[in-house]
Amino acid sequence: MEPGAATPFGFRQPSKLRMRGSAPDMADPNQLFDDTSAHAGSPAVGYRGQETPGMGFQAQALLTEPMSNFAVAYGSSLASQGKELVDKNLDRFIPISKLKYYFAVDTVYVGKKLGLLVFPYMHQNWEVRYQQDTPVAPRFDINAPDLYIPAMAFITYILVAGLALGTQNRFSPEILGIQASSALVWLIIEVLVTLLSLYLVTVNTDLTTIDLIAFSGYKYVGMIVGVVSGLLFGRTGYYLVLLWCCIAIVVFMIRTLRLKILSEAAAQGVLVRGAKNQLRMYLTMAIATAQPVFMYWLTYHLVR
């Protein structure tokens, strides 16, 4: 039977079709809540999958911010662990913490130490001061060894050598490189021979390899003064000034190293007795007298 047709009792059968968007008074009486999705002015979320533009950005921000914070924290952790690993392995070969001590200098210390290297005859107290079994920083004690003056003197010596070669029209980068390499090689050989000698003589001393490098590097100060004097006053000025600097460095090395190598009795001025102390005295004299040999060998060809 078609909708709207008359029944046998004379009534029409009501239509079951309901149009979309019908009036509110025609709503389903079984519906618990009113459908407000079609009201004007409300956000149009008509079909599944349609979202407002702001919701996607907020969800992306909520996901991105924790991930970025985690990445930053993880990267910082890796960097700190890598730095600790590098410092730990580097300290095995190069004691960075100890090197800081040898560069703890100031202008006053540098000036006094340079004067002591050139004129050491009036200096009386050569002992290194200690504070709680630790030597004080070089800027507080003129007798403490440092690496600042040897390093700067080595660089200055190379520059002065280049200047001397240039005034004689003999300058070239290759010759300057050979000059720097030979000076460095002789310094290494000197330190190694000194370490071997201390081992063979069985000297129990607090001298370290860095201390020996510092003491061996002080001779570059006299070498610079000698070459500059040769450039200004000729070979006569070079020999006179270099002779003075050689005597000064020998006196400086003997008075400094005797407190490190010789026994306590010798350091206090008591007569040295015994074969072991005699060997220590000869070793001190050998280290000191080797300085003028290197000073002349590395500078004589720079002055003509």
Side-chain angles (χ1 to χ4, degrees):
M1 183 180 296
E2 296 182 0
T7 61
F9 300 97
F11 297 98
R12 286 182 179 272
Q13 186 177 1
S15 176
K16 294 182 180 180
L17 294 176
R18 184 179 179 189
M19 302 298 295
R20 182 183 296 272
S22 58
D25 53 352
M26 298 177 62
D28 189 0
N30 296 325
Q31 185 175 356
L32 297 178
F33 301 98
D34 293 337
D35 186 7
T36 60
S37 61
H39 288 179
S42 62
V45 190
Y47 298 96
R48 195 170 190 175
Q50 293 182 352
E51 298 179 354
T52 57
M55 292 179 63
F57 177 75
Q58 293 176 359
Q60 184 179 3
L62 290 175
L63 292 175
T64 303
E65 186 174 354
M67 293 180 65
S68 62
N69 293 337
F70 175 76
V72 171
Y74 185 69
S76 301
S77 176
L78 286 179
S80 61
Q81 292 178 3
K83 182 178 181 299
E84 292 177 0
L85 183 62
V86 170
D87 293 341
K88 183 178 179 180
N89 292 329
L90 191 61
D91 282 338
R92 295 179 181 178
F93 306 99
I94 304 176
I96 302 298
S97 58
K98 293 182 180 180
L99 285 178
K100 294 180 181 179
Y101 164 82
Y102 292 93
F103 286 94
V105 300
D106 56 9
T107 306
V108 177
Y109 168 83
V110 172
K112 291 182 178 180
K113 196 59 174 276
L114 291 177
L116 183 62
L117 292 172
V118 177
F119 195 83
Y121 310 106
M122 302 300 294
H123 192 63
Q124 299 296 327
N125 185 15
W126 293 86
E127 294 183 0
V128 178
R129 291 186 294 171
Y130 284 81
Q131 184 178 9
Q132 297 179 353
D133 298 333
T134 303
V136 299
R139 64 174 177 269
F140 301 120
D141 185 12
I142 192 175
N143 297 322
D146 71 284
L147 285 179
Y148 177 81
I149 292 178
M152 294 297 104
F154 180 83
I155 296 173
T156 307
Y157 161 72
I158 301 302
L159 297 177
V160 171
L163 177 62
L165 293 173
T167 56
Q168 302 167 15
N169 296 324
R170 295 189 296 143
F171 176 82
S172 68
E174 292 78 12
I175 295 179
L176 189 62
I178 294 173
Q179 188 74 25
S181 301
S182 61
L184 184 60
V185 168
W186 280 116
L187 177 64
I188 296 174
I189 292 175
E190 179 186 355
V191 173
L192 292 178
V193 170
T194 304
L195 288 174
L196 180 61
S197 302
L198 291 174
Y199 174 76
L200 294 177
V201 180
T202 64
V203 177
N204 295 324
T205 177
D206 58 352
L207 275 175
T208 63
T209 304
I210 302 178
D211 291 336
L212 294 177
I213 294 174
F215 289 128
S216 300
Y218 285 139
K219 62 175 170 286
Y220 292 111
V221 176
M223 293 163 58
I224 294 169
V225 177
V227 174
V228 172
S229 301
L231 294 176
L232 296 177
F233 307 107
R235 295 188 67 85
T236 302
Y238 162 74
Y239 283 116
L240 290 177
V241 174
L242 186 67
L243 178 62
W244 175 275
C245 293
C246 289
I247 298 174
I249 196 65
V250 169
V251 173
F252 172 83
M253 294 292 285
I254 291 176
R255 293 186 177 181
T256 302
L257 294 179
R258 73 190 182 102
L259 300 176
K260 302 285 187 179
I261 298 178
L262 295 180
S263 62
E264 239 178 60
Q268 296 174 359
V270 182
L271 184 63
V272 178
R273 293 186 178 90
K276 180 178 278 190
N277 284 335
Q278 290 288 342
L279 286 176
R280 292 177 178 179
M281 184 182 65
Y282 293 149
L283 179 59
T284 303
M285 295 294 296
I287 296 174
T289 54
Q291 306 305 308
V293 177
F294 288 111
M295 293 172 66
Y296 176 76
W297 177 258
L298 294 173
T299 57
Y300 78 97
H301 61 281
L302 298 176
V303 179
R304 290 186 175 180

